[in-house]
Amino acid sequence: MQAKAEFLRALASLFYPPACAVCSANLQAGEYLCAGCNAKLTRIIPPFCAKCSEPFTAAISDAFTCANCAHRRLYFNAAVAVYRSRGIVRQILLDFKYGRQVHLRHLIAAWLVAGLNDERLRNATFDIVVPVPLHPARERERGFNQSALIAELLSAHAALPVRPVLERTRYTMTQTAFDRAERMQNLRGAFRLRKTGDVRGLRVLLVDDVLTTGSTLSACARVLKTAGARSVHAATAARA
Ligand SMILES: [Zn+2]
Ligand SMILES: [Zn+2]
């Protein structure tokens, strides 16, 4: 199904010029959004939490504590999110993940590549890229793992190998209805290192499409660090 959609798209691109993923305006080759739609995206800019990228209102920008990080341990070194998951960004992520518009991975991966420029990632070195895994049953249901698709494109851009060393062992309920504490509880023991995975001494770049509270990324980082990873940074396209 995925291969067929890819094929049809490749075929279509022979006859039609590239079009904006949102408004269908004509584009140059290699572009995914027109300038008008691109201008509507909300980039996450300082001030934000250095750990979890939660944007701060200017009024509390001098505070050292982030409400999202308070009273819990997040196991990643830092998690970068490039855009707010609102409007066009949110719609594109939903179309990609639930609408089977697999071609949108190119646009979303381009956002992640922009995230590599964040100083928290720019100043770090990575040995491997690790996608956040889906439970096998959910992956079958969806047809693909969205994080794996964008991790592959990111790895090609950054010349880093992708190593899907994590697996999801529990078919957890969807996180959306849960608050922060419930999310962490829901994820307890949900991930583990694959038997063939060895991350000892490695600096990991963890990849996911969306960061909500950071609980999923933290649960993955915890497994990786327990298995001996030297550092775990996370890159996501958008923050809820
Ligand atoms: Zn457009
Ligand atoms: Zn935070």
Side-chain angles (χ1 to χ4, degrees), residues 96-107:
F96 172 49
K97 192 148 62 172
Y98 303 111
R100 292 177 181 269
Q101 296 197 40
V102 180
H103 65 275
L104 290 174
R105 72 185 188 280
H106 294 286
L107 171 58

Side-chain angles (χ1 to χ4, degrees), residues 17 40 51 77 82 89 107 110 126 132 152 164 181 203 215-216 229:
K40 290 180 193 152
K51 182 91 178 174
N77 296 58
V82 182
V89 172
L107 171 58
F126 302 110
V132 169
E152 277 165 29
R203 294 158 295 188
S215 298
T216 299

